[in-house]
Amino acid sequence: MIGRFAPSPTGPLHFGSLLAAVASYCEAKSQDGQWLVRMEDLDKPREMAGAADHILRTLEAFGFEWDGEVVYQSRRSSLYQDALSQLQKKSLIYQCDCSRKEIADAYNQRPAQHGIDGLIYPGTCRHKAKIKLPHASRVVVDSNPIAFTDAIQGNIQQNLAHDIGDFVLKRADGLYAYQLAVVVDDFVQEITHIVRGADLLDSTPRQIYLQQKLNYPTPQYAHIPVASNTAGEKLSKQTLAPAIDVGQAPILLIQALSFLGQQPPNDLSTNSLSDIWLWAKQHWGIKKVPRQRSITFNPS
Ligand code: GLU
């Protein structure tokens, strides 16, 4: 089995991203699998200078050992272009020059339809004769339900036409979209087990749809609850989640294991970092992770 951790270098590692790293690492290493690290640095404008190196140094200080070289999405555009061309050949791609306002206005007096990830694209450009520059590339979706069983969250089903609409694979500014890049990389890197935050659960059907259209296998998914602050907001750079302090690595690792439902014994904190990892790998069980999309993290 091959797992991965795929941080976006928009800021230093915080407790929320540590959880995804710990869970994906334990899932792979408890089964003698490989664990790869991939920097999702496609969105250069959102990137924070030095964050990628900082994340890698933090992972190292925590004792994570990744297999192979770290992959950087910013260096893999030709792979994403190849996949886009494959979809183009199947007539699944069209160009779109709609602005956000035009998308909202396209609903013509009717209230704009909000899906689970913003406005549902009403297909305006599907049959438009002339598209202005700059334009995005969208993939055509259909209304066949996409269903999968998540190892933590259970059975999930989505209807892309109803819940999302045709979605963007390449943005008007020329950047490849996360949904395309993640699917291509998970395939090229032969990832079999994806463990990540439940904030991405709603993206998974879009990714499975692309896998189906590109004839890629679908990996096994497990979405862990995201950590939220006491105001109910997901810990993230936007909510000013503090960077994790590597000086506190043993206690943070125990807090992460505890958040993930693994019930580490009280006296584990007197152990060295490597002994805590040993315990974690020996006792890891994905089925012990709580079946919730979000849990308040309140370190005591
Ligand atoms: N880069 C994404 C993030 O940091 C994770 C993508 C994934 O695990 O599929 O939220």
Side-chain angles (χ1 to χ4, degrees):
M1 69 159 301
I2 308 183
R4 49 62 155 191
F5 175 52
S8 304
T10 50
L13 211 64
H14 52 77
F15 188 75
S17 34
L18 178 70
L19 289 173
V22 169
S24 58
Y25 190 69
C26 289
E27 180 67 358
K29 293 298 165 182
S30 63
Q31 300 175 63
D32 285 324
Q34 292 181 47
W35 186 73
L36 313 184
V37 174
R38 177 170 77 227
M39 277 297 156
E40 302 216 318
D41 59 347
L42 275 182
D43 198 343
K44 288 289 172 192
R46 280 188 57 223
E47 197 170 323
M48 189 184 106
D53 284 343
H54 190 274
I55 291 172
L56 294 177
R57 281 202 308 275
T58 308
L59 290 175
E60 243 163 27
F62 264 79
F64 288 94
E65 292 172 356
W66 54 86
D67 295 283
E69 299 270 309
V70 174
V71 155
Y72 291 83
Q73 287 192 323
S74 57
R75 302 177 193 162
R76 294 160 74 82
S77 298
S78 62
L79 289 174
Y80 312 138
Q81 185 53 53
D82 288 350
L84 193 64
S85 306
Q86 268 189 62
L87 296 169
Q88 238 146 9
K89 281 196 197 110
K90 295 188 170 177
S91 306
L92 287 169
I93 302 294
Y94 64 91
Q95 296 171 340
C96 167
D97 59 7
C98 293
S99 63
R100 268 169 215 267
K101 180 169 184 311
E102 281 166 330
I103 295 175
D105 290 350
Y107 280 95
N108 279 336
Q109 318 296 336
R110 289 179 294 133
Q113 295 259 328
H114 286 271
I116 50 180
D117 195 9
L119 283 183
I120 298 170
Y121 184 64
T124 323
C125 287
R126 265 200 202 195
H127 307 292
K128 220 194 246 175
K130 271 218 168 77
I131 306 284
K132 309 182 290 288
L133 276 170
H135 53 68
S137 299
R138 286 184 188 270
V139 63
V140 175
V141 299
D142 56 43
S143 53
N144 295 325
I146 305 257
F148 69 101
T149 303
D150 187 272
I152 298 168
Q153 307 289 342
N155 294 336
I156 305 287
Q157 185 166 316
Q158 210 181 71
N159 177 321
L160 291 181
H162 182 264
D163 297 327
I164 303 284
D166 300 338
F167 56 98
V168 170
L169 297 188
K170 189 176 183 187
R171 295 172 7 182
D173 59 8
L175 295 181
Y176 292 94
Y178 157 71
Q179 306 292 356
L180 177 66
V182 76
V183 163
V184 171
D185 283 332
D186 286 334
F187 170 67
V188 174
Q189 297 190 286
E190 300 181 52
I191 305 297
T192 57
H193 289 68
I194 295 180
V195 182
R196 60 185 180 189
D199 51 326
L200 293 166
L201 196 55
D202 289 337
S203 288
T204 307
R206 268 170 276 180
Q207 296 173 15
I208 294 175
Y209 177 75
L210 292 178
Q211 288 153 4
Q212 291 172 350
K213 297 299 170 192
L214 288 161
N215 296 321
Y216 297 167
T218 290
Q220 215 182 82
Y221 287 97
H223 286 85
I224 61 170
V226 297
S228 45
N229 60 23
T230 41
E233 302 158 330
K234 179 194 160 201
L235 297 187
S236 69
K237 193 184 149 216
Q238 285 74 27
T239 56
L240 306 177
I244 50 178
D245 172 6
V246 293
Q248 303 283 323
I251 192 74
L252 285 165
L253 180 53
I254 291 173
Q255 283 174 347
L257 291 166
S258 169
F259 183 97
L260 292 165
Q262 306 300 304
Q263 300 179 316
N266 288 336
D267 60 0
L268 197 60
S269 57
T270 57
N271 291 31
S272 67
L273 196 53
S274 56
D275 284 343
I276 301 171
W277 274 123
L278 201 64
W279 184 92
K281 287 177 212 172
Q282 281 168 352
H283 294 84
W284 175 256
I286 199 98
K287 294 290 173 211
K288 290 188 252 173
V289 179
R291 186 179 177 169
Q292 280 169 261
R293 288 199 183 202
S294 168
I295 299 179
T296 307
F297 176 59
N298 218 348
S300 45

